[in-house]
Amino acid sequence: MRVVRVEGFEDWRREARALLAAEVRPEQVSFQPSEASQDSLFEEDGPSAAMGETQTARITVPRGFLDLAETVALHREERRWDLLYRVLWRVNHSERHLLAVDVDEDVRELLLMEKAVRRDIHKMHAFVRFRKVADEEGERYVAWHRPDHRIVFAVGPWFARRFGAMRWSILTPDGSVHWDTRELTHGPPVTQSEAPQGDDMEELWRSYYASIFNPARVKVKAMKAEMPVRHWATLPEADIIPQLLQQASQREVQMRETQKTSAAPFVPGDHRLEVLAPAVQRCQGCELYQFATQAVFGEGARQALVMFVGEQPGDVEDVKGRPFVGPAGKVLDEALAEAGIDRREVYVTNAVKHFKFEERGKRRIHKTPRGVEVAACKPWLEAEMDAVQPKLIVALGATAAVSLMGRDFRITRDRGVFFPHPRAEALLATVHPSYLLRLPDPQQKAEEYVKFVEDLRLVAERVRELGVAR
Ligand code: URA
Ligand code: SF4
C-alpha cells in the first residue's frame, strides 16, 4: 500500500493526477494528511512541487467534478481523499457517467459530504457573530466559531464581501481569517474549545494577537476528534436555537415529503415586511442560497401604489443587500425620474431573492435563474404583494413577467399594456433596465431607453388616476 500525504485540495489533485497516470489502483493507495498539516493548514503558500504536470496521460474529469471535489475536500473526514480518488479512477475506467448514478455508494457518499459542507458554510454565514474589540490599530470585529468542517478559509471571501468596510477576524480551531478592509490573510488556529463569553472575546483576541507575533509560538495541537459542543450553543441567540433547529428539521421533512423546491416552508405566516425581510435570510427553498452573499429582499414604501419586480439581485445588490442599487438600478432611477415617478414612493423587489452567477476568474457573471428557481421563490413575492397591496405591478423583464403572468407571456408582444392581475388592479410589463445596458449599439440603446420611459409614463399616469380616485 502506497501512502500519499496530502494537505489540501491542490495537493490531492496533483497527486491524484500522477497516480492515475501511473495506473495506481485505488486499493493500492491511501491518502493521509501530511504530518505537517495540523500546523501548516494556515500557511498561505500552496504546495509547490509540480509533479504530474509533465504526465501526458489523458484523464477524464467530468463536468462539475472539480467543483464537487473542491467542496468535498473541505469535509473533515479523512477518507474523503480516498473516496475522491476512487471515483476519479472509476470515471476513468469505463464508468464515464458514474457521477450521474446517484444510487452508487461512492457517489452517494460524495454528494452527502458535499451537502454537509455546504450546510456548514451556510450555517457559518448565518451564525458568526462579531464582537467589537479595540486593538493597536483601532476597532476590530472578532468572532469565534467552530465549524464542523474545514471551511474557514473557504468562507473568507464571502465575509470580505459582506463586511468589506470593517476590520475583522474570525478565529476557529482550524485556523483564522483576517480582513483589514483590503486583504484577506490566514492565521493560526485558536486552540480553545469553548466559545468565549462576552468580554472574554477581548481577552481571547489579545492573547491571540500576542501569539501571532510570538516566534516561539507553541505547536498547535491536533484538532481532529473534539467536536462535541455545538458551536453556536453559546451565542447570544442560544435561547432560540433549539426552536430554530426544530423548525429547520420540520422544514426538511416537509421539503422531502413534498419533494419540492420551494420557499413556502420558509415563509412566515405573518406577512408584514418587517417579519418577512429577516426571514428570507434563512431561506433554503432552492439551491441559490448556497452561493450568494445574502438574500436581497424588496424595499420601498410599505403601502406603495406601485410595485416594481425585477429578476434577481445583481453583483452589487448581492453585496449591499438592497435591490436595484447597481448599474441597472441607476438606469431605473433615471428612467423613473424622467417619467415623473419618485422611487421613494414605490416598492422595488425581484422575482428571485438570491443572486445567481457564474464565477469567471474574480468576476461574478449574472446567470438567468431557471424556471424552478423562479417558481421556488414565488412565495416570497406573493407574501410581499400581500404585505404591500399595490394597485399596480410593473414587471421588469421576462423573468418577472413570467413569474407573475405565466409562461405564455412575451415581453416583445405584451409590453406597455395593462393586464388584469389577481394581486392588483393591473400589471404592466416592460423591458429590464439591464437589457438597455447590454445593447451595444448606442442608437438602439437610446431608442429603447425612450420606449422604456414611455412605458413608465403610462404607469405614472395610471398612478395619478388612482391617487385621485383614492
Ligand atoms: N437586476 C435586477 O433584476 N434586480 C436588481 O436588484 C438588480 C439588477
Ligand atoms: Fe429561497 Fe428564493 Fe433564495 Fe431560492 S432564491 S433560496 S427560494 S430566497
Side-chain angles (χ1 to χ4, degrees):
M1 171 80 68
R2 191 194 291 220
V3 171
V4 174
R5 305 268 169 196
V6 289
E7 249 175 66
F9 179 66
E10 286 307 322
D11 243 9
W12 173 84
R13 179 174 161 164
R14 196 187 59 237
E15 298 290 354
R17 175 188 281 175
L19 291 163
L20 260 190
E23 289 283 323
V24 178
R25 301 184 58 83
E27 312 82 75
Q28 300 170 312
V29 58
S30 159
F31 288 90
Q32 286 174 21
S34 81
E35 312 273 284
S37 76
Q38 300 301 346
D39 219 9
S40 56
L41 186 60
F42 54 84
E43 271 166 22
E44 278 200 274
D45 297 340
S48 55
M51 85 181 252
E53 297 297 336
T54 51
Q55 307 279 358
T56 50
R58 284 210 36 188
I59 291 172
T60 305
V61 181
R63 224 181 135 77
F65 178 77
L66 281 183
D67 279 350
L68 173 70
E70 217 172 337
T71 304
V72 169
L74 304 175
H75 201 283
R76 202 172 287 281
E77 290 276 359
E78 260 169 43
R79 70 201 147 79
R80 70 199 184 285
W81 301 128
D82 289 343
L83 177 63
L84 282 168
Y85 184 63
R86 196 158 60 241
V87 169
L88 190 60
W89 170 275
R90 292 177 59 195
V91 167
N92 279 275
H93 291 82
S94 77
E95 294 182 78
R96 270 197 132 227
H97 302 293
L98 177 62
L99 282 185
V101 186
D102 53 13
V103 290
D104 181 89
E105 284 281 311
D106 285 344
V107 174
R108 241 175 60 86
E109 192 170 9
L110 268 192
L111 294 176
L112 284 175
M113 282 187 172
E114 183 197 31
K115 197 164 178 193
V117 170
R118 291 216 186 283
R119 284 245 161 100
D120 199 33
I121 289 175
H122 182 61
K123 229 160 51 184
M124 187 153 175
H125 290 166
F127 288 115
V128 160
R129 291 292 174 273
F130 290 98
R131 207 183 154 82
K132 188 158 83 178
V133 302
D135 72 12
E136 263 101 293
E137 295 162 65
E139 279 179 356
R140 176 174 288 271
Y141 291 81
V142 182
W144 183 94
H145 185 78
R146 178 196 286 275
D148 291 337
H149 299 289
R150 298 169 164 265
I151 58 175
V152 57
F153 302 139
V155 298
W158 186 92
F159 282 96
R161 272 201 303 278
R162 181 88 189 251
F163 303 111
M166 60 199 224
R167 299 169 60 237
W168 53 255
S169 294
I170 302 175
L171 314 178
T172 87
D174 296 316
S176 305
V177 270
H178 310 284
W179 174 250
D180 66 357
T181 73
R182 277 156 197 265
E183 207 190 355
L184 268 180
T185 47
H186 297 169
V190 166
T191 48
Q192 102 177 53
S193 59
E194 297 294 322
Q197 303 282 337
D199 293 339
D200 295 352
M201 185 66 96
E202 189 109 32
E203 188 58 37
L204 174 64
W205 173 249
R206 252 184 264 119
S207 63
Y208 178 81
Y209 193 71
S211 78
I212 303 179
F213 295 97
N214 179 358
R217 185 166 59 74
V218 280
K219 275 262 176 235
V220 178
K221 284 196 212 110
M223 309 270 81
K224 275 181 285 179
E226 23 126 6
M227 303 297 294
V229 186
R230 303 303 299 176
H231 56 291
W232 24 253
T234 44
L235 289 175
E237 302 93 324
D239 295 351
I240 62 163
I241 283 176
Q243 193 194 337
L244 281 178
L245 235 197
Q246 202 191 357
Q247 282 174 2
S249 64
Q250 278 168 0
R251 275 176 192 137
E252 251 171 61
V253 172
Q254 212 170 331
M255 281 185 70
R256 241 178 276 129
E257 271 170 5
T258 52
Q259 281 294 308
K260 248 174 70 187
T261 301
S262 172
F266 300 92
V267 179
D270 182 342
H271 285 181
R272 280 173 303 164
L273 293 175
E274 60 270 33
V275 177
L276 297 173
V280 76
Q281 298 303 342
R282 291 191 289 272
C283 187
Q284 303 186 356
C286 74
E287 287 182 355
L288 298 184
Y289 77 89
Q290 299 172 3
F291 311 101
T293 309
Q294 59 192 312
V296 176
F297 205 59
E299 65 176 29
R302 39 178 57 233
Q303 306 237 287
L305 288 175
V306 196
M307 175 183 277
F308 285 84
V309 183
E311 182 188 78
Q312 62 167 348
D315 184 71
V316 178
E317 286 80 8
D318 169 79
V319 173
K320 297 201 171 156
R322 302 180 50 205
F324 283 101
V325 290
K330 198 153 169 265
V331 175
L332 179 63
D333 285 349
E334 275 169 25
L336 283 176
E338 249 180 83
I341 298 173
D342 186 342
R343 170 145 175 192
R344 288 166 305 181
E345 288 180 8
V346 304
Y347 185 89
V348 178
T349 190
N350 286 298
V352 170
K353 308 302 191 227
H354 277 105
F355 179 35
K356 180 171 183 179
F357 58 91
E358 208 169 274
E359 263 169 334
R360 265 193 232 139
K362 287 205 161 165
R363 292 186 41 203
R364 301 188 301 164
I365 312 289
H366 161 275
K367 228 176 142 185
T368 306
R370 291 180 299 145
V372 275
E373 289 145 359
V374 177
C377 213
K378 184 83 183 284
W380 290 113
L381 187 55
E382 294 278 358
E384 280 177 297
M385 292 189 285
D386 200 28
V388 178
Q389 308 244 328
K391 296 271 195 248
L392 296 178
I393 297 171
V394 181
L396 299 169
T399 301
V402 167
S403 173
L404 289 156
M405 295 297 283
R407 281 198 298 185
D408 295 334
F409 199 90
R410 296 280 174 277
I411 293 286
T412 39
R413 182 189 64 200
D414 303 325
R415 72 180 289 181
V417 180
F418 286 104
F419 288 89
H421 191 272
R423 292 283 191 173
E425 290 188 10
L427 175 145
L428 176 141
T430 183
V431 295
H432 193 287
S434 298
Y435 159 75
L436 303 174
L437 285 172
R438 279 196 306 267
L439 288 173
D441 175 26
Q443 173 81 25
Q444 197 193 359
K445 198 177 211 152
E447 285 167 15
E448 284 295 323
Y449 179 77
V450 170
K451 282 205 252 168
F452 181 52
V453 173
E454 274 168 15
D455 287 345
L456 296 182
R457 283 216 172 93
L458 295 173
V459 176
E461 247 168 59
R462 193 71 178 251
V463 169
R464 275 192 294 276
E465 289 166 20
L466 287 168
V468 172
R470 241 189 179 188

